[in-house]
Amino acid sequence: LPMGALRHMVVVVDDQRKEVSSSEAHLRVKTSSLFVNRVARAEERLANLLEALKSQDWQKSFEITWAEFWDMHALFETSYPSFGYMTADSLKVLQAGKAFWKQQGDGPLITMDAGPNVHFLFREDQKNIQEKLYQELSKTYKVFSS
């Protein structure tokens, strides 16, 4: 990546086996009416993210990663048959991370993979944000932090 080392933190809100495997999810999303142009959207976001990281535009990087995982999870919810990984706890964790952006105008990059768990990426100078978020979320969830 065109950026220095990033710090990673994952919040495990559910460690149970997924009802729909990632392999099955890849097949099902193609049945979603939202799948049209999905590959192009993902490729455009990747190019935009790399450019934002090169220019050290952290806010734009956040907006891109935020939009990308929501796009992916919308495909799950609109596939046939529909399914979802996001839980009420996932939403709580997402909002905890986004609160830093609202309160401080800065915060971590936030994303999710094909599951309910939430990933945060921090710049090296955001150790204090990472620590605050860790302290808050580790009271309720399993949190792994670099």
Side-chain angles (χ1 to χ4, degrees), residues 19-22 24-29 31 72-86 114:
E19 288 183 30
V20 177
S21 70
S22 295
E24 179 66 19
H26 281 286
L27 297 174
R28 285 199 204 177
V29 296
T31 67
M72 181 177 66
H73 281 263
L75 293 172
F76 303 150
E77 296 290 346
T78 57
S79 68
Y80 182 80
S82 66
F83 67 100
Y85 296 119
M86 196 153 318

Side-chain angles (χ1 to χ4, degrees), residues 7 9 100 104 106-108 122-136:
R7 303 174 66 80
M9 186 170 81
F100 280 93
Q104 300 178 22
D106 191 17
F122 303 87
R123 300 182 313 265
E124 281 294 322
D125 66 318
Q126 292 179 311
K127 288 180 184 179
N128 62 332
I129 294 174
Q130 184 178 7
E131 182 61 30
K132 287 178 185 174
L133 204 49
Y134 178 87
Q135 291 299 323
E136 177 184 343

Side-chain angles (χ1 to χ4, degrees), residues 9 11 13 62 66 69-70 88-104 106-110 118-120 122 129-130 132-141 143:
M9 186 170 81
V11 180
V13 299
F62 164 76
W66 185 264
F69 85 78
W70 279 106
D89 284 324
S90 301
L91 292 171
K92 287 178 187 175
V93 172
L94 291 169
Q95 290 308 312
K98 196 165 186 186
F100 280 93
W101 283 99
K102 289 180 182 177
Q103 296 163 359
Q104 300 178 22
D106 191 17
L109 300 185
I110 306 171
V118 180
H119 297 262
F120 296 96
F122 303 87
I129 294 174
Q130 184 178 7
K132 287 178 185 174
L133 204 49
Y134 178 87
Q135 291 299 323
E136 177 184 343
L137 296 171
S138 64
K139 293 175 187 173
T140 308
Y141 309 103
V143 181

